[in-house]
Amino acid sequence: MANSEVQWNPGSNLLERLTQFAQKRGQTTEAVITEAVLSYLQIQALDDNAIDDDPLVGLFAGSPNLATQSEDILQQSITETSGWTWKQEQP
């Protein structure tokens, strides 16, 4: 349900500051408000798409330096039974 009429009653101090700001920029108060709201919505959209909100982040445990230190990380993980081994015969 769309409402084409918005009622907004800012405090007198805010309205005065907004009016002065708009006059300095040579714009109407409506244009300044529109620009501010569009900017706010754009920032919110970016925040909604932030990597911190990605459900896959943190799903895999590992070093954040994997791309640059993969060989070192692999060497640290080597144990006596690492690699190809022969299976022992079971009785």
Side-chain angles (χ1 to χ4, degrees):
M1 173 172 29
N3 185 358
S4 61
E5 189 173 321
V6 175
Q7 294 184 4
W8 181 54
N9 298 314
S12 60
N13 188 26
L14 178 58
L15 185 56
E16 183 179 327
R17 290 175 58 195
L18 178 61
T19 303
Q20 290 174 356
F21 182 78
Q23 287 173 348
K24 285 181 185 178
R25 293 186 67 177
Q27 295 179 304
T28 63
T29 54
E30 291 84 2
V32 171
I33 292 169
T34 299
E35 183 180 337
V37 170
L38 287 172
S39 177
Y40 176 81
L41 292 174
Q42 183 178 13
I43 290 169
Q44 293 305 310
L46 292 175
D47 286 348
D48 289 345
N49 295 327
I51 194 165
D52 294 339
D53 294 335
D54 189 336
L56 293 179
V57 171
L59 181 61
F60 304 102
S63 171
N65 302 323
L66 183 60
T68 58
Q69 298 176 348
S70 60
E71 293 295 323
D72 295 335
I73 293 168
L74 286 173
Q75 283 183 346
Q76 292 172 5
S77 301
I78 294 175
T79 65
E80 187 177 311
T81 57
S82 294
W84 294 97
T85 60
W86 292 99
K87 291 184 179 180
Q88 294 181 0
E89 289 185 32
Q90 296 183 4

